[in-house]
Amino acid sequence: MASSPHAKLHLRDLGNTGLKLSSVGFGASPLGNVFGVVSEDDAIASVRQAFRLGINFFDTSPYYGGTLSEKVLGKSLQALGVPRNEYIVATKCGRYIDGFDFSAERVTRSIDESLERLRLDYVDILQCHDIEFGSLDQIVNETIPALQKLKEAGKIRFIGITGLPLGVFTYVLDRVPPGTVDVILSYCHYGINDSTLEDLLPYLKSKGVGVITASPLAMGLLTESGPPEWHPASPELKSACQAAAAHCKVKGKNISKLAMQYSLSNNDISSVLVGMNSITQVEENVAAAIELTTVGKDDETLLEVEAILKPVKNQTWPSGIQQS
Ligand code: NAD
């Protein structure tokens, strides 16, 4: 790592939970082979290196790799051999490889299955996964009350919701009692190409809800190697991001580092979850965070990249079902 050995990854408060998350969080979807095959040895080594470098927050879901991510993360965390309270684990419910089911019965069963795969007695955060694919009224009236029972039973500490369209967060938060939903996880909306979450941050703060963002690299768009085959972005957005990555490369810069630093710059966001599958990626992303706090970001290159991405700024893609 290029950064000073004395500099440390910052911990940030997560809303009213009392949890302190590392500014860089470990997104474990790649451990489910979502971005290509990852060996178990590489997965375990990546998690170990992440923890060693100060990452204390790990996010997964039964959906990632059809439960594979949870299983591999569970094994990797156990291999750390450290007390359970030294790391924070979030998983999800309601989205599975064979579809969506946000019923109370399914999410109640889901947590027991997740805990077994993760080799844990409890998770710190259980999030309803991609709620735009379910009925939001069911989330409010059935799913979240079921999660509250899991909280009382000690299987989960905090409740979260995740999704792509930002409107799902306000819909739910306006309809549940204050303090019921502790956390939201928003993805692909706080990065160089799309920063629309910014407008929602004051509202989320006023509700006392902790904010986690994910996909600072826009699920591979802001990387030199580009996104996976399944990426939902338009061809226009993909080619603009490719042009931005190429521009950085010609200048001897790395678009992923710039993208990480952009997402990490807002302290109202408690943790930026980046998907990682190798020691090198872990080291690069932690170094980017530390360099941001010690040296600052490369504003000149950022301005150039923003100019390249201007025609596609805040362009997103459809996700979910029409809500009635
Ligand atoms: P991401 O933007 O973090 O990109 C991940 C991709 O970038 C992977 O291919 C990874 O190998 C690569 N990468 C990571 N560091 C790199 C580096 N330094 N240089 C080059 N490439 C690098 O997208 P993501 O993985 O989808 O999002 C991060 C995490 O956030 C997920 O793993 C998941 O835990 C969470 N997430 C949750 C939701 C949801 O709840 N709906 C949605 C998206 C992501």
Side-chain angles (χ1 to χ4, degrees), residues 149-266:
K149 289 195 184 130
L150 297 179
K151 214 181 200 184
E152 285 157 22
K155 294 181 184 184
I156 69 174
R157 295 178 68 198
F158 299 104
I159 294 171
I161 49 177
T162 85
L164 183 71
L166 295 171
V168 300
F169 298 124
T170 48
Y171 188 96
V172 171
L173 292 170
D174 283 343
R175 287 167 179 77
V176 295
T180 315
V181 171
D182 304 290
V183 181
I184 67 112
L185 186 165
S186 163
Y187 72 102
C188 288
H189 286 314
Y190 201 94
I192 305 179
N193 59 303
D194 182 338
S195 55
T196 44
L197 179 69
E198 186 144 33
D199 292 342
L200 202 64
L201 292 175
Y203 165 90
L204 295 167
K205 208 172 202 176
S206 76
K207 293 274 182 188
V209 172
V211 182
I212 296 163
T213 64
S215 312
L217 311 182
M219 304 193 302
L221 286 178
L222 301 176
T223 62
E224 278 178 13
S225 51
E229 197 64 20
W230 51 259
H231 200 292
S234 69
E236 189 195 8
L237 178 53
K238 283 181 185 165
S239 67
C241 290
Q242 204 177 12
H247 175 80
C248 289
K249 198 171 181 186
V250 166
K251 283 190 77 177
K253 310 280 180 173
N254 185 320
I255 187 122
S256 299
K257 176 177 164 184
L258 199 64
M260 274 305 293
Q261 294 184 334
Y262 181 97
S263 295
L264 284 161
S265 297
N266 193 323

Side-chain angles (χ1 to χ4, degrees), residues 24 70 82 125 196:
V24 177
E70 283 192 332
V82 300
I125 310 169
T196 44

Side-chain angles (χ1 to χ4, degrees), residues 25-30 34-35 58-61 64 92 95 127-130 132 162-164 185-188 213-226 228 230 254 256-257 260 273-278 280-282 284-285:
F26 191 104
S29 70
V34 170
F35 291 91
F58 299 84
D59 176 77
T60 183
S61 164
Y64 301 148
K92 311 194 183 83
R95 181 168 202 175
Q127 304 159 114
C128 305
H129 195 174
D130 291 343
E132 68 269 27
T162 85
L164 183 71
L185 186 165
S186 163
Y187 72 102
C188 288
T213 64
S215 312
L217 311 182
M219 304 193 302
L221 286 178
L222 301 176
T223 62
E224 278 178 13
S225 51
W230 51 259
N254 185 320
S256 299
K257 176 177 164 184
M260 274 305 293
L273 281 167
V274 55
M276 296 185 275
N277 58 23
S278 69
T280 308
Q281 285 180 358
V282 169
E284 280 178 9
N285 294 331

Side-chain angles (χ1 to χ4, degrees), residues 129-142:
H129 195 174
D130 291 343
I131 58 174
E132 68 269 27
F133 287 93
S135 149
L136 296 183
D137 291 324
Q138 184 186 30
I139 300 290
V140 170
N141 299 318
E142 181 178 338

Side-chain angles (χ1 to χ4, degrees), residues 292-308:
L292 179 67
T293 57
T294 50
V295 184
K297 63 179 178 316
D298 178 352
D299 287 320
E300 181 192 298
T301 309
L302 178 60
L303 279 174
E304 291 162 5
V305 165
E306 284 180 321
I308 294 169

